[in-house]
Amino acid sequence: MPPPLHPATSADLPALAALNQLVYATEPIAQIVFPDWPNPASQLPYYAALVETRFHDPRTEVFKLTDPASGAICASVCWTLVAGDEEVCSGGTAASPPPPSPLPPGVNAEFIGTIVAKLGEVNALMEGRSHFSASRGCVFSDALPGVGIAINALFVAASHQGQGLASLLVQACVAKADEAGLPTFLVSFPGAHGFYSRFGFRDVGTLEVELRDKVGGGRDLGVYTQYAMVRE
């Protein structure tokens, strides 16, 4: 039987930051974001700040799965209730996103700025068809009601992959959206694109980042492509 989904609390921040770091570290883009990659000590402050921002966001709920034997967090997911250019919290009242946290030392701020600019390009690409919120990584279809649920930070520890936990997390998110009659949005890692497609998500845009010549040692990381996807 799969472990039950529980709300995460601020006490879980260190474990969630470590889980974020371990999963993101396997993505090629992490080698550019963190000049000292793969040293986890230089990455954890960034992920701790990121998780803390989610806990302070009234529009976002953070959930966790824990290992029944050890009690350790083995998977997590966040969902954010969004409404066009305005977002609402769980109670249905208007809410504003928290201010962005300052980037900690050890992060390639210039490259992160490039990512933000690329998100702007996706917005322009889909103008007149859907709206892409660069600040939250959410897609909004003009043909749908102006509200939806954005899935982000879905992570499963390597030791627990292949046990259906990612599917359990996605099913929980889409069930919440379906119950409310809302679309679901996400931006997929390259390797997870086919996985989300199995749940009815379709592409509405792409985010391509050129990684060639960004790292030394003769490593050519090519083009890193993420997919803006929606399930209606």
Side-chain angles (χ1 to χ4, degrees):
M1 177 179 293
L5 193 62
H6 293 292
T9 69
S10 57
D12 298 315
L13 194 154
L16 291 172
L19 180 59
N20 276 232
Q21 184 272 321
L22 287 171
V23 175
Y24 267 125
T26 63
E27 295 296 312
I29 202 168
Q31 300 180 42
I32 317 299
V33 173
F34 302 103
D36 196 26
W37 180 91
N39 177 17
S42 65
Q43 303 171 37
L44 282 173
Y46 172 79
Y47 292 115
L50 194 61
V51 173
E52 186 173 20
T53 298
R54 295 182 185 127
F55 279 124
H56 289 301
D57 189 339
R59 311 154 305 163
T60 297
E61 296 179 84
V62 185
F63 293 88
K64 65 181 179 181
L65 294 174
T66 56
D67 183 278
S70 67
I73 294 176
C74 56
S76 68
V77 70
C78 302
W79 62 53
T80 300
L81 187 60
V82 294
D85 291 331
E86 179 185 74
E87 304 196 10
V88 295
C89 62
S90 298
T93 57
S96 299
S101 302
L103 292 175
V107 176
N108 186 339
E110 180 180 359
F111 183 71
I112 290 179
T114 300
I115 299 298
V116 172
K118 289 291 185 181
L119 288 170
E121 292 178 12
V122 173
N123 183 36
L125 175 66
M126 297 191 294
E127 185 175 354
R129 176 166 172 266
S130 56
H131 177 75
F132 189 91
S133 170
S135 63
R136 298 297 305 175
C138 312
V139 182
F140 306 92
S141 170
D142 291 338
L144 297 170
V147 68
I149 290 178
I151 302 175
N152 52 74
L154 193 157
F155 300 118
V156 178
S159 58
H160 288 72
Q161 291 176 6
Q163 301 178 23
L165 299 187
S167 295
L168 178 66
L169 294 175
V170 174
Q171 288 165 354
C173 293
V174 299
K176 179 180 177 69
D178 289 349
E179 182 180 3
L182 302 176
T184 316
F185 316 104
L186 59 85
V187 176
S188 168
F189 284 165
H193 182 243
F195 167 75
Y196 289 117
S197 296
R198 296 202 300 268
F199 292 91
F201 286 89
R202 63 178 179 83
D203 296 346
V204 293
T206 58
L207 168 63
E208 295 185 346
V209 182
E210 176 61 73
L211 300 184
R212 294 186 180 92
D213 303 322
K214 292 289 193 305
V215 294
R219 288 176 291 165
D220 182 359
L221 300 180
V223 177
Y224 186 81
T225 303
Q226 292 178 282
Y227 301 88
M229 306 183 75
V230 60
R231 179 184 182 274
E232 301 171 0

